[in-house]
Amino acid sequence: MNSSLVGNQSGRPFCLLAISYLETINFCLLEVVIIVFLMVLIISGNIIVIFVFHCAPLLNHHTTSYFIQTMAYADLLVGVSCLVPSLSLLHYPIVLSESLVCQIFGYVVSVLKSVSMASLACISIDRYIAITKPLTYNTLVTPWRLRICILIIWLYSCLVFLPSFHWGKPGYHGDVFQWCANSWSTDPYFTLFIVVMLYAPAAFIVCFTYFNIFRICQQHTKEINERRVRFSSQDGEAGEAQPCPDKRYAMVLFRITSVFYILWLPYIIYFLLESSNVYSNRVASFLTTWLAISNSFCNCVIYSLSNSVFQKGLKRLSGAICASCTRQRVAKDSSTSRSKRSSNGCHV
């Protein structure tokens, strides 16, 4: 995925995703547009999510809000880190060496990706405990335990990808730099290490917990409906089917998890193929990498469209911003009118 500019015989820059080039442009225009566009969406979307969580206290009643906010902060940092390859593609001078910037950038984005993946696994575990052990849930899942769990997630993610500085490339996030694409190769043993320590456990936990969550919810719904039908037949009234109370919220989290793995699956597959020397294509590497990074914005969209409490918090936040703008406008207009009156008085 070498998006760096490589001079050719004609003197024009060579960029993988360039369909055509203007004579006045000597940088990877299409790649810069893609990265900057994603960067703006990711940063703005996650800032909104963070503000809504702080402005809507009802959202913090769910313990999963701890992990969702953790994902929002991690995704926000992903968007901020995208500024590094953007400056590189624009030929902005970098103080540090390209190899060091490349390694740091790849490590940081890999850690943030790991935080999101581990947070999704913890969310599924939290919902599994809430459904399987509702009576003891509040004693098992406490705020201080959640904070410790989040701290462990960050520390574990940092440690898992720490060997990348000496062992091999952890992914393809840094390949916008020429050194990353040409000189920093992947190691199959390091790839296996990441799969065993991160990808496989997270995927197994998510599949196991959500499978059992929906199975239990289906069973609960069936039992509730049978009871309603039994009692309604005795009273002579028809009973309506009632879904499992936890199923709707679990569906929101399941959508977030599903989109995460759908967008990251092409990247993971290519990562495995490239590490095993089966298939290598820099265009495919660029597209799969930034498709996966786009997930940092998709979480905001899914949660805002699926959670009614979040929608209310978003409306409250937008209403507060509009009210503040209105007050500032009224104050400005009143001060302007007063200044006009005072100036007219001086002329009289």
Side-chain angles (χ1 to χ4, degrees):
M1 184 187 63
N2 182 11
S3 310
S4 299
L5 303 177
V6 180
N8 52 23
Q9 295 179 354
S10 63
R12 292 184 178 182
F14 172 75
C15 296
L16 296 173
L17 302 182
I19 300 175
S20 62
Y21 269 97
L22 300 175
E23 296 292 338
T24 57
I25 297 177
N26 63 342
F27 59 86
C28 303
L29 177 62
L30 183 56
E31 292 166 331
V32 170
V33 170
I34 292 175
I35 295 177
V36 171
F37 178 71
L38 288 177
M39 180 179 66
V40 173
L41 289 180
I42 292 171
I43 293 176
S44 58
N46 285 283
I47 287 178
I48 292 174
V49 170
I50 292 170
F51 272 107
V52 169
F53 267 95
H54 285 288
C55 295
L58 289 176
L59 286 170
N60 294 320
H61 289 178
H62 293 285
T63 54
T64 51
S65 66
Y66 286 85
F67 298 110
I68 294 175
Q69 290 182 70
T70 300
M71 291 176 58
Y73 280 107
D75 292 336
L76 176 62
L77 293 175
V78 169
V80 174
S81 65
C82 290
L83 182 64
V84 177
S86 302
L87 295 177
S88 174
L89 292 171
L90 290 171
H91 289 172
Y92 191 84
I94 300 176
V95 178
L96 301 175
S97 64
E98 186 181 24
S99 60
L100 181 60
V101 174
C102 164
Q103 288 179 320
I104 293 176
F105 175 73
Y107 172 77
V108 168
V109 178
S110 298
V111 169
L112 297 174
K113 167 197 65 180
S114 175
V115 170
S116 297
M117 192 174 295
S119 297
L120 288 172
C122 290
I123 287 174
S124 64
I125 295 174
D126 175 82
R127 290 298 88 198
Y128 179 77
I129 297 175
I131 292 177
T132 56
K133 299 181 179 180
L135 298 179
T136 58
Y137 174 79
N138 291 329
T139 58
L140 293 174
V141 182
T142 57
W144 70 270
R145 287 182 179 178
L146 290 173
R147 295 187 182 96
I148 292 176
C149 183
I150 292 172
L151 179 62
I152 292 174
I153 288 174
W154 281 96
L155 291 176
Y156 182 79
S157 300
C158 292
L159 292 175
V160 164
F161 287 97
L162 193 60
S164 63
F165 289 96
H166 299 285
W167 204 345
K169 184 161 46 181
Y172 299 89
H173 309 291
D175 282 2
V176 289
F177 303 99
Q178 185 176 358
W179 185 88
C180 272
N182 298 332
S183 304
W184 199 21
S185 59
T186 56
D187 188 286
Y189 294 103
F190 185 50
T191 302
L192 180 63
F193 173 77
I194 295 175
V195 170
V196 172
M197 300 299 293
L198 180 62
Y199 293 158
F204 174 78
I205 290 173
V206 167
C207 293
F208 174 81
T209 52
Y210 278 111
F211 174 79
N212 285 278
I213 285 172
F214 290 118
R215 181 180 60 83
I216 295 171
C217 283
Q218 187 176 8
Q219 183 179 355
H220 286 179
T221 303
K222 183 179 179 181
E223 293 175 355
I224 293 172
N225 292 336
E226 288 177 353
R227 292 176 184 175
R228 289 182 64 86
V229 170
R230 188 184 311 119
F231 287 110
S232 61
S233 61
Q234 295 176 357
D235 298 336
E237 299 178 355
E240 297 180 357
Q242 297 292 328
C244 177
D246 295 319
K247 188 175 182 179
R248 180 177 298 179
Y249 191 63
M251 279 299 299
V252 176
L253 302 174
F254 179 72
R255 291 191 193 105
I256 294 176
T257 306
S258 300
V259 171
F260 179 89
Y261 279 98
I262 289 172
L263 294 177
W264 278 99
L265 186 60
Y267 165 83
I268 294 174
I269 292 175
Y270 182 84
F271 181 53
L272 297 175
L273 293 177
E274 173 71 15
S275 301
S276 56
N277 296 322
V278 175
Y279 177 74
S280 177
N281 184 285
R282 290 179 178 177
V283 177
S285 177
F286 181 90
L287 295 177
T288 55
T289 296
W290 294 98
L291 176 66
I293 290 178
S294 67
N295 172 78
S296 297
F297 171 72
C298 294
N299 292 338
C300 313
V301 177
I302 296 171
Y303 205 74
S304 60
L305 294 178
S306 303
N307 190 284
S308 58
V309 180
F310 184 89
Q311 293 172 3
K312 293 179 182 178
L314 184 59
K315 291 180 181 178
R316 181 182 300 178
L317 177 62
S318 59
I321 294 175
C322 293
S324 176
C325 294
T326 303
R327 286 194 299 268
Q328 291 179 0
R329 188 180 305 168
V330 170
K332 183 178 180 181
D333 293 340
S334 61
S335 62
T336 303
S337 61
R338 284 197 301 269
S339 63
K340 287 183 178 179
R341 287 196 299 266
S342 60
S343 61
N344 292 334
C346 291
H347 287 294
V348 174

